[in-house]
Amino acid sequence: MRKRIVSSALPLVVVVVGVFALARMTGSPASLYLPLNATDAMRADFIAKNGLDQPVLVQMFDYFGGLLRLDFGTSLRTGEDAAAMALRAFPATLQLAAMTMVIAIVLAIIVGSAAALKPNGVLDRFASFVSMAAASIPDFWLAIVGIWVFAIYLGWLPTSGVMGAAAWVLPVATLVMRPFGALVQVIRGAMVTSLSEPYIKLARSKGATEYRVVTGHALRNAAAPALTVAGDLTVGLINGAVVVETIFGWPGIGKLMIDSILQRDFAVLQACVLLTALAIFVLNILIDLGYALLDPRVRPAAGARARRKTRAVTIENEPSEPIEPNVPTAASASV
Amino acid sequence: MFFASKPGAPVTRTRRLSMAVAAGALLGTTVLSGCSVANSSASNSSGAAGAAAGDTLRVVLQQEPPTLEACESNLTSTGVVVRSTITEPLIERNPTTGDLEPKLATEWTSKDDTKWTLKLREGVKFHDGSDFTAEDAAATIDRAVNSKLGCNVEGYVFGDDDLKLNVVDAGTLEVTAPKADPILPLRLSFLEVVPAETSSTEKVREPIGTGPYKLDKWEAGQSINASAFADYWGEAPAFPKANYQWRSEGSVRAAMITSGEADIATGLSPEDNIGDLGVTFPNNETVALRMHGDTAPFTDIRVRQAVNYAIDKEAIVASLYGGRDKAAAQLVPGGVVGHSESLPVWPYDPEKAKSLVAEAKAAGVDTSAQISLVVRTAQFPKIEELGQVLQEQLTQAGLNVKLKMLETSQHLTYQVRPFPTDDEGAIMLMTQHGNQAGDAAFTVDQYMTTKGAQSAFGTPELDKLIATADAATGADRQSAFEKVFSYQNDNVVQFAHIAHQTGMLGLAKTVNYAPNSSTSDELRLAEVTPAK
């Protein structure tokens, strides 16, 4: 586990260094922050005041020195503490992501399981169509159509904003589509496979109810691949529900990050990236832990490598038999 | 049971655990985040759907102001909230007549255009309860113009020059310019007055002013709330409260008007589906192409003239902008001192354009050299389409034009000196110029002089004409600037003018407001009244 933590922490540093250097390659922010006809003296003042006249390496050294003192720098745009801005925006995104994933997982389990009961049946085909559509509709289009239909035409929901429970409906509904679509396919695939396993037949022959078979046995086997995909999807959501946050005026980190990039607000951009990378790092650890709990063979001692190998494979009942890589859908749907 | 007895953890226990972990990984994020973030914790509900508008005026802007610092209020996103709503200037320009009118100063006089004496209004209070005096007026000017604060207004309006300030008594202030400055009162109209105690070393995010509304609460990322200032010296505004929100998507701002969530929406275009709730107004912005004369083929004036003949301005206005914009003959629209009504719009003549290019080619100019048409994405509605139309029309004239779409920051590097030396040939920049000040000096000094920050080239003769115009007053000033504009069109041709634009505001049926040419820069909430 310690190795795993170290190996996931390394990319964190790489990301922060990379963003630091890349942001500065896009040019000086002076032209954005000074009036177009600013004098040369004003320009020089601005550049010196913000340390932008130093070589990038010196700037980076200063920045990391600041991080050690928990000084993340000051926003060029607002003059506020960069870390404070990022920390203020982050919970809004986390809440949106958590709400979205809970709903997506619950819906996907219901629809995916129901579809798997009769492969190629009417319900299965319908679920397949719906999930494919859900996973491929562009957020932007969905958000705007949602506003037209539910806020303007029907008048049931607010167009945007963050006031009250109703304000959550459209952003969450927009965001839920992609993870729902992807997860339905993963769960359905895994369920179809496990429902044809000998132990299911045995359970049925012993008189277990269909409900018990599905929820008790098959679903448990499908949980591991679903967790992997759900983890990736959550990372995607945290990384920026940029479009949704922008359209609905949701004060999250995705919107803040985009604004910071466009405004060359280096300190805020770096704070956002660092915070997001940190969250993803923690999330990955949590997924690993969850995985270990789901699959006893992948206890932390087995290390990351073993986990990777067995990740897509569920082994519970017949360890002596050759293991089939039985969840191709997990890989194909995790795009 | 058979299954439970197989190797591995007992199924039932593990299953519960797995569910718990999966849910926990997600919900944990919520718990960690502190639970009370983006939802109903907000103290007011005026932004919610269906909330009674009643006593709150709800405005939806394009973007959150980065700061409300008074000395940054000639940034559109700051000024639209601050100017003449939260803070007030000494002198105010009437956007319709162009006349200067008293605000915190009641009169201003000068014998020599250098030393100006201002009489200040009595009985004015700041939002913190203190009295407004000449000390505050002097500190405001000193802070914005003479300090190292780097205020936007300094470079834009006052340039390098410092002003000398002399407080004669509580109600009288003398301002002395380094050289005669006939439009000093106009320049002063850009300064929003703050108390003398305001820091002169740090910018202030939330200003204290004398305006009809005082700032109550700025919930970063969400909204700004203000309320009518009880001790306001003037007439009390019609709405006791005001609420600002921001949405970057135009169609969402429009939707907030049609669904009754907001009363005023700024920065709309007809594509935003606002229907008959959209109100258009001349917004002082002019679109033009600036040609850099240092690289072929723009080194030859015939090519620059050809560009002007090749562009079908009337067709562009009619087809892309629904006939609301107006074909332009100069960089400033009507209403700005120096705008010439008699200057003709350059005629559309594609044949003449072709023959001028051919003439230049015969004279040895490399007319096949590549031209980069540099355009800023999303600067105004349909700008991408406009770029394509221009590329097509210039290609028809025999020029080799490549369209280069850039985001704001990159575009700005082309806008101001020193210009990048483009490896993709000659540069032709699409600019959108707004003259908020209402005087052509603010345009021509930077866009047309030989060394102007936003001027690619000029001529000594034009520089002379501009210097004369800058120093002129009254009717002379008007005709001197008219001369500048017609000289540029006849002898310099740095620009191909396209159109004077119109702005659009979304107005709910619940409110009355007449937008004017400065609405985009200062939305005076005190001028808004309930419809009934």
Side-chain angles (χ1 to χ4, degrees), chain B residues 68 70 73-74 78-95 101-104 127 188-193 207 209-214 232-233 235 237 244 513 516 518 521-528:
Chain B
L68 296 178
S73 57
N74 74 307
T78 296
V80 78
V81 175
V82 173
R83 287 175 71 171
S84 291
T85 294
I86 293 174
T87 58
E88 294 175 309
L90 293 166
I91 297 164
E92 196 163 61
R93 176 179 175 271
N94 183 314
E101 292 171 355
K103 200 77 185 197
L104 294 185
H127 297 159
L188 290 178
S189 75
F190 279 87
L191 297 180
E192 300 291 308
V193 175
T210 59
Y213 284 93
K214 70 178 168 56
Y232 184 55
W233 60 270
E235 203 180 316
Y244 294 93
Y513 173 67
N516 55 52
S518 69
D521 303 310
E522 50 176 288
L523 180 60
R524 300 178 191 172
L525 293 195
E527 291 178 4
V528 185

Side-chain angles (χ1 to χ4, degrees), chain B residues 133-463:
Chain B
T133 68
E135 293 286 352
D136 301 303
T140 295
I141 300 172
D142 193 42
R143 179 174 187 267
V145 181
N146 299 344
S147 79
K148 284 215 147 204
L149 215 48
C151 291
N152 223 283
V153 71
E154 183 186 4
Y156 184 73
V157 184
F158 293 92
D160 273 338
D161 298 339
D162 281 1
L163 298 172
K164 258 202 270 175
L165 303 158
N166 177 29
V167 175
V168 180
D169 57 53
T172 314
L173 176 69
E174 278 177 7
V175 184
T176 311
K179 57 175 189 280
D181 186 354
I183 60 167
L184 186 73
L186 176 61
R187 292 186 207 276
L188 290 178
S189 75
F190 279 87
L191 297 180
E192 300 291 308
V193 175
V194 290
E197 294 75 37
T198 310
S199 168
S200 59
T201 52
E202 303 256 342
K203 289 185 184 167
V204 182
R205 266 177 76 66
E206 303 183 10
I208 289 169
T210 59
Y213 284 93
K214 70 178 168 56
L215 209 56
D216 287 337
K217 186 161 193 215
W218 180 357
E219 261 182 276
Q222 293 186 30
S223 65
I224 293 173
N225 288 295
S227 58
F229 175 42
D231 288 333
Y232 184 55
W233 60 270
E235 203 180 316
F239 288 90
K241 286 182 181 340
N243 167 265
Y244 294 93
Q245 293 190 64
W246 37 88
R247 302 284 182 270
S248 44
E249 200 57 41
S251 53
V252 174
R253 291 195 298 279
M256 289 177 75
I257 296 292
T258 45
S259 71
E261 288 172 51
D263 303 308
I264 300 180
T266 65
L268 297 183
S269 71
E271 287 70 46
D272 292 330
N273 241 330
I274 186 70
D276 56 1
L277 297 178
V279 181
T280 56
F281 56 97
N283 67 354
N284 258 339
E285 300 281 352
T286 302
V287 178
L289 297 176
R290 183 187 73 194
M291 293 168 271
H292 291 211
D294 55 355
T295 314
F298 292 144
T299 42
D300 194 303
I301 192 169
R302 282 168 294 198
V303 175
R304 305 200 296 270
Q305 288 165 336
V307 167
N308 274 283
Y309 283 116
I311 299 171
D312 191 350
K313 294 155 279 287
E314 300 291 353
I316 286 170
V317 166
S319 63
L320 284 182
Y321 298 102
R324 292 174 308 274
D325 292 3
K326 205 172 155 219
Q330 57 211 302
L331 269 181
V332 295
V336 174
V337 173
H339 169 88
S340 167
E341 286 297 338
S342 55
L343 198 62
V345 172
W346 204 298
Y348 171 56
D349 188 343
E351 291 312 314
K352 178 97 178 162
K354 265 185 222 168
S355 69
L356 280 167
V357 171
E359 263 180 54
K361 190 177 180 183
V365 177
D366 178 10
T367 54
S368 67
Q370 187 177 296
I371 298 166
S372 294
L373 171 54
V374 181
V375 177
R376 188 202 294 190
T377 45
Q379 192 176 16
F380 51 81
K382 294 201 176 168
I383 189 168
E384 286 82 2
E385 289 91 331
L386 176 57
Q388 285 157 9
V389 168
L390 292 172
Q391 183 189 24
E392 171 62 23
Q393 293 183 342
L394 296 173
T395 305
Q396 294 285 329
L399 296 169
N400 174 16
V401 178
K402 192 184 159 202
L403 190 56
K404 201 169 180 177
M405 299 291 312
L406 299 177
E407 52 115 10
T408 307
S409 174
Q410 293 168 304
H411 188 266
L412 284 176
T413 62
Y414 284 89
Q415 184 113 30
V416 232
R417 284 172 190 269
F419 304 119
T421 43
D422 201 314
D423 52 6
E424 289 173 44
I427 298 168
M428 174 190 264
L429 181 90
M430 191 190 291
T431 84
Q432 183 199 28
H433 169 61
N435 186 317
Q436 304 171 28
D439 188 289
F442 294 93
T443 298
V444 299
D445 288 0
Q446 48 174 323
Y447 276 88
M448 292 190 194
T449 53
T450 317
K451 297 238 161 80
Q454 303 194 59
S455 168
F457 66 97
T459 65
E461 295 79 19
L462 186 58
D463 284 353

Side-chain angles (χ1 to χ4, degrees), chain A residues 42-108:
Chain A
M42 285 171 75
R43 242 167 255 283
D45 263 4
F46 176 88
I47 288 172
K49 198 170 150 194
N50 293 290
L52 298 167
D53 50 346
Q54 304 287 322
V56 173
L57 274 178
V58 176
Q59 291 183 42
M60 199 176 313
F61 189 77
D62 282 352
Y63 179 68
F64 280 103
L67 287 189
L68 293 178
R69 301 188 308 274
L70 290 181
D71 172 9
F72 292 77
T74 307
S75 164
L76 284 175
R77 192 159 61 108
T78 67
E80 272 187 288
D81 181 51
M85 287 175 71
L87 283 171
R88 192 170 58 220
F90 200 44
T93 298
L94 281 184
Q95 290 186 335
L96 206 55
M99 178 73 91
T100 300
M101 285 313 291
V102 168
I103 292 174
I105 288 171
V106 170
L107 286 181

